[in-house]
Amino acid sequence: MMKLLDGKWVSALILEEITAEVALLKNKFGKTPHLAAILVGNDGASETYVNSKMKNCEKVGMESSLIRLDANVSEKELLDTVEKLNREQSVNGFIVQLPLPKHIDEQKVIKAILPQKDVDGFHPDNIGKMVLNMPSFIPATPFGILQMIEKYAIETAGKHCVVVGRSHIVGLPMSILMGRNAYPGNCTVTLTHSKTKNLKEVCLSADILIVAMGKPDFITADMVKQDAVVIDVGTTRVPDSTKKTGFAIKGDVKFEEVAPKCSYISPVPGGVGLMTVTSLIKNTLLAFKNTL
Ligand code: NAP
């Protein structure tokens, strides 16, 4: 019987836990965790993500601040803003919303963030610690997926996990995390990408299939093993005149035909996306606690 991995339910549970802890810490130490975000330009999707991050901070009783920079901002000016937040005592963690305009070197900006405040977990120090299974900030989307697997008590040890997509923010860290000697983890992992041969056969051998490609409806029922766990990270805006916004959000998995074959599947929307925001908030709480 197929079960839905309900991001709404899991993220609400986690946000409740965080709210209680924030209140407790506020009482005890008289301080409030604070997340800041830098948003460059006004891309619609980025605006939505950042707003949701800020809104959820308020929901759990944390402080949040949004710094908006013009799309034409120089790299130097952005780096100066990062440096300011590095030094700002009242800010426990901050993010630079990606993607950045083409004239700015993303890696350079990420490297400029103080690792102790890098709640997106993209700094090489945090990635290195994650690989070595040391305490670190785990990138929000992979962290969210781990928590989802954990809340549904999905068995992972000895399973074959196939990850489709090798981005630095989702696929690559996900493949490392699923192979770590931990729970969730202990999988035999295959990381696939656009140069992978026989992708269909590889996917068919997955007990756990995690897809982060950005190709709507790419994964079809004939690529999925009976009773597999399927986690869909894809979120692509596709035109849809029936929606107020004029677009719908589509996952990488053809949900209607894949779902009946699965033991568990995450929907889009209502799956991984909500977990990502929650995990960022959780990382901010961790950054705050590290300063106490
Ligand atoms: P990305 O940087 O867009 O890269 C896509 C990856 O998919 C690349 O590694 C690419 O391979 C691979 N790929 C593309 N076509 C393929 C094919 N035909 N066969 C096999 N692999 C293929 O990835 P991303 O930033 O992780 O984003 C992926 C999706 O997840 C997007 O829809 C994005 O919006 C979504 N996302 C969602 C959340 C969330 O919170 N729900 C968070 C982050 C991202 P190559 O490396 O060889 O090019």
Side-chain angles (χ1 to χ4, degrees):
M1 191 55 191
M2 184 275 286
K3 285 203 189 102
L4 209 60
L5 294 169
D6 182 354
K8 237 185 207 161
W9 175 67
V10 183
S11 61
L13 275 182
I14 295 171
L15 288 176
E16 251 173 55
E17 287 166 17
I18 296 175
T19 308
E21 202 173 347
V22 167
L24 212 81
L25 291 169
K26 245 190 218 174
N27 240 328
K28 195 164 168 195
F29 297 98
K31 289 184 192 166
T32 309
H34 182 176
L35 172 72
I38 303 175
L39 177 62
V40 180
N42 38 25
D43 171 71
S46 292
E47 290 259 0
T48 311
Y49 296 145
V50 168
N51 286 337
S52 158
K53 289 166 187 175
M54 301 290 104
K55 213 171 68 199
N56 276 286
C57 268
E58 280 148 37
K59 222 163 137 184
V60 300
M62 286 186 184
E63 268 181 54
S64 65
S65 38
L66 175 58
I67 297 162
R68 286 174 174 276
L69 298 175
D70 194 80
N72 301 318
V73 71
S74 68
E75 188 179 273
K76 162 90 171 59
E77 209 175 315
L78 176 55
L79 289 169
D80 287 346
T81 310
V82 166
E83 198 43 55
K84 218 157 112 192
L85 291 177
N86 282 342
R87 283 196 304 262
E88 179 56 61
Q89 289 268 329
S90 73
V91 171
N92 303 109
F94 66 96
I95 61 156
V96 179
Q97 184 66 41
L98 303 179
L100 291 172
K102 295 244 181 322
H103 67 279
I104 295 174
D105 180 348
E106 249 173 42
Q107 283 304 323
K108 200 166 166 186
V109 173
I110 290 169
K111 264 167 61 187
I113 300 173
L114 203 65
Q116 303 93 287
K117 293 193 178 189
D118 167 43
V119 284
D120 252 343
F122 296 159
H123 190 284
D125 277 19
N126 282 314
I127 300 283
K129 285 182 177 163
M130 178 196 74
V131 172
L132 299 172
N133 213 354
M134 291 161 72
S136 69
F137 296 117
I138 296 174
T141 303
F143 188 24
I145 295 172
L146 292 186
Q147 290 177 85
M148 198 171 221
I149 291 174
E150 207 176 340
K151 283 278 184 234
Y152 281 90
I154 292 170
E155 221 180 285
T156 57
K159 304 286 182 194
H160 183 205
C161 175
V162 173
V163 179
V164 189
R166 58 178 160 184
S167 72
H168 290 173
I169 59 168
V170 188
L172 176 75
M174 206 59 236
S175 70
I176 291 163
L177 292 162
M178 294 307 278
R180 292 199 307 187
N181 188 359
Y183 176 75
N186 281 315
C187 287
T188 304
V189 178
T190 306
L191 179 60
T192 67
H193 43 77
S194 68
K195 312 287 187 301
T196 298
K197 291 203 171 114
N198 309 323
L199 184 66
K200 181 180 164 189
E201 282 69 31
V202 179
C203 288
L204 262 174
S205 70
D207 301 308
I208 301 172
L209 181 62
I210 302 175
V211 193
M213 313 168 71
K215 297 254 147 92
D217 288 342
F218 188 94
I219 302 290
T220 44
D222 59 338
M223 299 171 82
V224 177
K225 181 158 99 176
Q226 186 64 42
D227 295 328
V229 175
V230 174
I231 296 174
D232 188 355
V233 185
T235 46
T236 308
R237 287 181 169 195
V238 295
D240 184 340
S241 55
T242 69
K243 303 268 189 242
K244 253 202 310 215
T245 50
F247 63 83
I249 303 288
K250 271 267 174 206
D252 291 340
V253 176
K254 207 163 187 180
F255 186 87
E256 319 76 59
E257 62 172 63
V258 172
K261 283 185 100 173
C262 298
S263 55
Y264 293 90
I265 184 166
S266 71
V268 178
V272 172
L274 297 164
M275 295 302 302
T276 299
V277 180
T278 305
S279 302
L280 176 70
I281 308 279
K282 201 163 167 154
N283 274 344
T284 308
L285 177 57
L286 184 64
F288 172 71
K289 289 202 292 191
N290 288 343
T291 66
L292 295 174

